[in-house]
mmCIF file with all atom_site columns, all heavy atoms in Angstrom:
data_model
loop_
_atom_site.group_PDB
_atom_site.id
_atom_site.type_symbol
_atom_site.label_atom_id
_atom_site.label_alt_id
_atom_site.label_comp_id
_atom_site.label_asym_id
_atom_site.label_entity_id
_atom_site.label_seq_id
_atom_site.pdbx_PDB_ins_code
_atom_site.Cartn_x
_atom_site.Cartn_y
_atom_site.Cartn_z
_atom_site.occupancy
_atom_site.B_iso_or_equiv
_atom_site.pdbx_formal_charge
_atom_site.auth_seq_id
_atom_site.auth_comp_id
_atom_site.auth_asym_id
_atom_site.auth_atom_id
_atom_site.pdbx_PDB_model_num
ATOM 1  N N   . THR A 1 128 ? 42.099 77.062 56.359 1.00 96.00 ? 278 THR A N   1
ATOM 2  C CA  . THR A 1 128 ? 43.106 77.490 55.450 1.00 96.00 ? 278 THR A CA  1
ATOM 3  C C   . THR A 1 128 ? 43.103 76.514 54.366 1.00 96.00 ? 278 THR A C   1
ATOM 4  O O   . THR A 1 128 ? 42.884 75.312 54.448 1.00 96.00 ? 278 THR A O   1
ATOM 5  C CB  . THR A 1 128 ? 44.487 77.212 56.206 1.00 96.00 ? 278 THR A CB  1
ATOM 6  O OG1 . THR A 1 128 ? 44.504 77.997 57.370 1.00 96.00 ? 278 THR A OG1 1
ATOM 7  C CG2 . THR A 1 128 ? 45.591 77.678 55.392 1.00 96.00 ? 278 THR A CG2 1
ATOM 8  N N   . LEU A 1 129 ? 43.241 77.015 53.127 1.00 94.00 ? 279 LEU A N   1
ATOM 9  C CA  . LEU A 1 129 ? 43.367 76.273 51.797 1.00 94.00 ? 279 LEU A CA  1
ATOM 10 C C   . LEU A 1 129 ? 44.831 75.995 51.485 1.00 94.00 ? 279 LEU A C   1
ATOM 11 O O   . LEU A 1 129 ? 45.592 76.968 51.626 1.00 94.00 ? 279 LEU A O   1
ATOM 12 C CB  . LEU A 1 129 ? 42.685 77.103 50.744 1.00 94.00 ? 279 LEU A CB  1
ATOM 13 C CG  . LEU A 1 129 ? 42.781 76.425 49.311 1.00 94.00 ? 279 LEU A CG  1
ATOM 14 C CD1 . LEU A 1 129 ? 41.955 75.075 49.165 1.00 94.00 ? 279 LEU A CD1 1
ATOM 15 C CD2 . LEU A 1 129 ? 42.226 77.344 48.262 1.00 94.00 ? 279 LEU A CD2 1
ATOM 16 N N   . SER A 1 130 ? 45.110 74.750 51.161 1.00 91.00 ? 280 SER A N   1
ATOM 17 C CA  . SER A 1 130 ? 46.475 74.545 50.683 1.00 91.00 ? 280 SER A CA  1
ATOM 18 C C   . SER A 1 130 ? 46.390 73.409 49.613 1.00 91.00 ? 280 SER A C   1
ATOM 19 O O   . SER A 1 130 ? 45.328 72.957 49.119 1.00 91.00 ? 280 SER A O   1
ATOM 20 C CB  . SER A 1 130 ? 47.417 73.968 51.952 1.00 91.00 ? 280 SER A CB  1
ATOM 21 O OG  . SER A 1 130 ? 46.749 72.774 52.457 1.00 91.00 ? 280 SER A OG  1
ATOM 22 N N   . ASN A 1 131 ? 47.616 72.973 49.157 1.00 84.00 ? 281 ASN A N   1
ATOM 23 C CA  . ASN A 1 131 ? 47.749 72.058 48.137 1.00 84.00 ? 281 ASN A CA  1
ATOM 24 C C   . ASN A 1 131 ? 47.472 72.634 46.758 1.00 84.00 ? 281 ASN A C   1
ATOM 25 O O   . ASN A 1 131 ? 47.526 73.858 46.653 1.00 84.00 ? 281 ASN A O   1
ATOM 26 C CB  . ASN A 1 131 ? 46.874 70.665 48.350 1.00 84.00 ? 281 ASN A CB  1
ATOM 27 C CG  . ASN A 1 131 ? 47.567 69.533 48.051 1.00 84.00 ? 281 ASN A CG  1
ATOM 28 O OD1 . ASN A 1 131 ? 48.552 69.503 47.371 1.00 84.00 ? 281 ASN A OD1 1
ATOM 29 N ND2 . ASN A 1 131 ? 47.178 68.352 48.402 1.00 84.00 ? 281 ASN A ND2 1
ATOM 30 N N   . VAL A 1 132 ? 47.113 71.881 45.809 1.00 78.00 ? 282 VAL A N   1
ATOM 31 C CA  . VAL A 1 132 ? 46.812 72.332 44.402 1.00 78.00 ? 282 VAL A CA  1
ATOM 32 C C   . VAL A 1 132 ? 45.343 72.482 44.205 1.00 78.00 ? 282 VAL A C   1
ATOM 33 O O   . VAL A 1 132 ? 44.555 71.615 44.525 1.00 78.00 ? 282 VAL A O   1
ATOM 34 C CB  . VAL A 1 132 ? 47.438 71.332 43.426 1.00 78.00 ? 282 VAL A CB  1
ATOM 35 C CG1 . VAL A 1 132 ? 47.093 71.881 41.949 1.00 78.00 ? 282 VAL A CG1 1
ATOM 36 C CG2 . VAL A 1 132 ? 48.889 71.286 43.620 1.00 78.00 ? 282 VAL A CG2 1
ATOM 37 N N   . GLY A 1 133 ? 45.012 73.707 43.638 1.00 78.00 ? 283 GLY A N   1
ATOM 38 C CA  . GLY A 1 133 ? 43.590 73.887 43.271 1.00 78.00 ? 283 GLY A CA  1
ATOM 39 C C   . GLY A 1 133 ? 42.858 74.916 44.166 1.00 78.00 ? 283 GLY A C   1
ATOM 40 O O   . GLY A 1 133 ? 43.645 75.568 44.963 1.00 78.00 ? 283 GLY A O   1
ATOM 41 N N   . SER A 1 134 ? 41.665 75.188 43.842 1.00 84.00 ? 284 SER A N   1
ATOM 42 C CA  . SER A 1 134 ? 41.057 76.285 44.735 1.00 84.00 ? 284 SER A CA  1
ATOM 43 C C   . SER A 1 134 ? 39.626 75.645 45.209 1.00 84.00 ? 284 SER A C   1
ATOM 44 O O   . SER A 1 134 ? 39.231 74.663 44.820 1.00 84.00 ? 284 SER A O   1
ATOM 45 C CB  . SER A 1 134 ? 40.813 77.467 43.745 1.00 84.00 ? 284 SER A CB  1
ATOM 46 O OG  . SER A 1 134 ? 39.903 77.109 42.625 1.00 84.00 ? 284 SER A OG  1
ATOM 47 N N   . ALA A 1 135 ? 39.180 76.382 46.091 1.00 89.00 ? 285 ALA A N   1
ATOM 48 C CA  . ALA A 1 135 ? 37.923 76.081 46.761 1.00 89.00 ? 285 ALA A CA  1
ATOM 49 C C   . ALA A 1 135 ? 37.115 77.150 47.386 1.00 89.00 ? 285 ALA A C   1
ATOM 50 O O   . ALA A 1 135 ? 37.751 78.204 47.493 1.00 89.00 ? 285 ALA A O   1
ATOM 51 C CB  . ALA A 1 135 ? 38.128 74.967 47.923 1.00 89.00 ? 285 ALA A CB  1
ATOM 52 N N   . SER A 1 136 ? 35.852 76.984 47.555 1.00 92.00 ? 286 SER A N   1
ATOM 53 C CA  . SER A 1 136 ? 34.990 77.968 48.282 1.00 92.00 ? 286 SER A CA  1
ATOM 54 C C   . SER A 1 136 ? 34.381 77.395 49.411 1.00 92.00 ? 286 SER A C   1
ATOM 55 O O   . SER A 1 136 ? 34.009 76.308 49.452 1.00 92.00 ? 286 SER A O   1
ATOM 56 C CB  . SER A 1 136 ? 33.921 78.501 47.170 1.00 92.00 ? 286 SER A CB  1
ATOM 57 O OG  . SER A 1 136 ? 34.564 79.129 46.125 1.00 92.00 ? 286 SER A OG  1
ATOM 58 N N   . ILE A 1 137 ? 33.941 78.226 50.383 1.00 94.00 ? 287 ILE A N   1
ATOM 59 C CA  . ILE A 1 137 ? 33.099 77.901 51.465 1.00 94.00 ? 287 ILE A CA  1
ATOM 60 C C   . ILE A 1 137 ? 31.719 78.281 51.139 1.00 94.00 ? 287 ILE A C   1
ATOM 61 O O   . ILE A 1 137 ? 31.369 79.392 50.778 1.00 94.00 ? 287 ILE A O   1
ATOM 62 C CB  . ILE A 1 137 ? 33.528 78.616 52.821 1.00 94.00 ? 287 ILE A CB  1
ATOM 63 C CG1 . ILE A 1 137 ? 35.040 78.347 53.263 1.00 94.00 ? 287 ILE A CG1 1
ATOM 64 C CG2 . ILE A 1 137 ? 32.468 78.290 53.940 1.00 94.00 ? 287 ILE A CG2 1
ATOM 65 C CD1 . ILE A 1 137 ? 35.264 76.876 53.658 1.00 94.00 ? 287 ILE A CD1 1
ATOM 66 N N   . VAL A 1 138 ? 30.844 77.229 50.990 1.00 93.00 ? 288 VAL A N   1
ATOM 67 C CA  . VAL A 1 138 ? 29.465 77.487 50.363 1.00 93.00 ? 288 VAL A CA  1
ATOM 68 C C   . VAL A 1 138 ? 28.474 77.401 51.541 1.00 93.00 ? 288 VAL A C   1
ATOM 69 O O   . VAL A 1 138 ? 27.353 77.839 51.348 1.00 93.00 ? 288 VAL A O   1
ATOM 70 C CB  . VAL A 1 138 ? 29.144 76.433 49.334 1.00 93.00 ? 288 VAL A CB  1
ATOM 71 C CG1 . VAL A 1 138 ? 30.167 76.692 48.088 1.00 93.00 ? 288 VAL A CG1 1
ATOM 72 C CG2 . VAL A 1 138 ? 29.229 75.064 49.763 1.00 93.00 ? 288 VAL A CG2 1
ATOM 73 N N   . GLY A 1 139 ? 28.755 76.799 52.652 1.00 91.00 ? 289 GLY A N   1
ATOM 74 C CA  . GLY A 1 139 ? 27.928 76.765 53.826 1.00 91.00 ? 289 GLY A CA  1
ATOM 75 C C   . GLY A 1 139 ? 26.933 75.582 53.685 1.00 91.00 ? 289 GLY A C   1
ATOM 76 O O   . GLY A 1 139 ? 26.838 74.915 52.611 1.00 91.00 ? 289 GLY A O   1
ATOM 77 N N   . PRO A 1 140 ? 26.348 75.195 54.781 1.00 94.00 ? 290 PRO A N   1
ATOM 78 C CA  . PRO A 1 140 ? 26.392 75.921 55.965 1.00 94.00 ? 290 PRO A CA  1
ATOM 79 C C   . PRO A 1 140 ? 27.685 75.659 56.673 1.00 94.00 ? 290 PRO A C   1
ATOM 80 O O   . PRO A 1 140 ? 28.358 74.767 56.485 1.00 94.00 ? 290 PRO A O   1
ATOM 81 C CB  . PRO A 1 140 ? 25.201 75.332 56.750 1.00 94.00 ? 290 PRO A CB  1
ATOM 82 C CG  . PRO A 1 140 ? 24.917 73.960 56.090 1.00 94.00 ? 290 PRO A CG  1
ATOM 83 C CD  . PRO A 1 140 ? 25.370 74.088 54.691 1.00 94.00 ? 290 PRO A CD  1
#
Side-chain angles (χ1 to χ4, degrees):
T278 305
L279 174 68
S280 61
N281 217 343
V282 177
S284 58
S286 298
I287 301 296
V288 295

